[in-house]
Amino acid sequence: MITFNVPTREEVSTTNQEIFDNLEKAVGFVPNLFATYAHSDNALKNYLNFSNAKTSLKAKEKEVVNLAVSQVNNCQYCLSAHTAIGKMNGFTEEQILELRSGSASFDNKLDALAKLSKNITENRGNTDAAVLENFFAAGWTKENLIDTISLVGDKTISNYINNTTKVAVDFPVAAPLETALA
């Protein structure tokens, strides 16, 4: 079995060393998944630029998408990271579990966003018409739709990198959904 190390600052390019330094200042550490991107001289910078790009979605709304997508893609790393970030954005543990399952009974608009995110991911972009109609009926716009699809792609990239490399989770580990809901 091939194993992937989490590169240290000394093992990455000068460009990535600078990004590591900025992450250290901003977050307090370099998350293992971001460090894994640094196996490439370009991927970490490209990903962070994409991930941090301006969007019509607020931080809390982005976490709805991140949690639903990461659950569909079964990415333990991203589920753990976004559970922590979701709590920082005001979601309760119960709400996070519901978002992971692709719904939000506590908020009609977020429910439509969670359902859309799950549906897009499960159907690889072949979104069900009823789900899309529900999204617009909840008050979302075409701009929000395009930004949501972009975010699904953003999160899917991270999910796939982690699911392939299986680097260690350096956040409190999120419980499997079935266990947490039992």
Side-chain angles (χ1 to χ4, degrees), residues 53-116:
K54 188 174 179 176
T55 178
S56 62
L57 300 178
K58 297 177 180 112
K60 196 168 188 172
E61 295 164 347
K62 287 176 70 173
E63 290 314 308
V64 170
V65 177
N66 290 334
L67 287 161
V69 171
S70 296
Q71 184 65 52
V72 171
N73 289 328
N74 197 29
C75 179
Q76 185 64 53
Y77 189 98
C78 294
L79 286 169
S80 300
H82 291 289
T83 292
I85 297 167
K87 288 177 183 175
M88 291 175 9
N89 278 283
F91 288 120
T92 67
E93 184 72 35
E94 294 76 27
Q95 290 171 333
I96 288 169
L97 292 171
E98 193 173 347
L99 292 169
R100 286 174 55 188
S101 72
S103 63
S105 63
F106 55 91
D107 184 296
N108 185 54
K109 195 167 183 182
L110 294 181
D111 185 62
L113 179 61
K115 283 179 169 47
L116 176 75

Side-chain angles (χ1 to χ4, degrees), residues 24-174:
E24 188 77 43
K25 287 178 199 161
V27 183
F29 70 109
V30 177
N32 285 345
L33 185 59
F34 287 171
T36 302
Y37 274 92
H39 280 292
S40 163
D41 287 342
N42 303 300
L44 179 58
K45 181 178 180 184
N46 291 342
Y47 176 75
L48 290 174
N49 285 339
F50 182 46
S51 184
N52 294 321
K54 188 174 179 176
T55 178
S56 62
L57 300 178
K58 297 177 180 112
K60 196 168 188 172
E61 295 164 347
K62 287 176 70 173
E63 290 314 308
V64 170
V65 177
N66 290 334
L67 287 161
V69 171
S70 296
Q71 184 65 52
V72 171
N73 289 328
N74 197 29
C75 179
Q76 185 64 53
Y77 189 98
C78 294
L79 286 169
S80 300
H82 291 289
T83 292
I85 297 167
K87 288 177 183 175
M88 291 175 9
N89 278 283
F91 288 120
T92 67
E93 184 72 35
E94 294 76 27
Q95 290 171 333
I96 288 169
L97 292 171
E98 193 173 347
L99 292 169
R100 286 174 55 188
S101 72
S103 63
S105 63
F106 55 91
D107 184 296
N108 185 54
K109 195 167 183 182
L110 294 181
D111 185 62
L113 179 61
K115 283 179 169 47
L116 176 75
S117 301
K118 179 180 181 182
N119 189 266
I120 288 170
T121 308
E122 287 177 335
N123 295 311
R124 298 183 177 152
N126 295 300
T127 310
D128 291 342
V131 172
L132 192 55
E133 288 170 17
N134 180 57
F135 178 77
F136 290 127
W140 296 101
T141 66
K142 290 178 182 175
E143 178 184 20
N144 299 141
L145 172 66
I146 300 304
D147 286 345
T148 299
I149 295 167
S150 292
L151 186 54
V152 168
D154 162 346
K155 192 46 44 200
T156 298
I157 292 166
S158 285
N159 294 164
Y160 286 10
I161 287 177
N162 183 257
N163 287 348
T164 299
T165 64
K166 304 208 182 308
V167 296
V169 177
D170 49 359
F171 290 89
V173 176

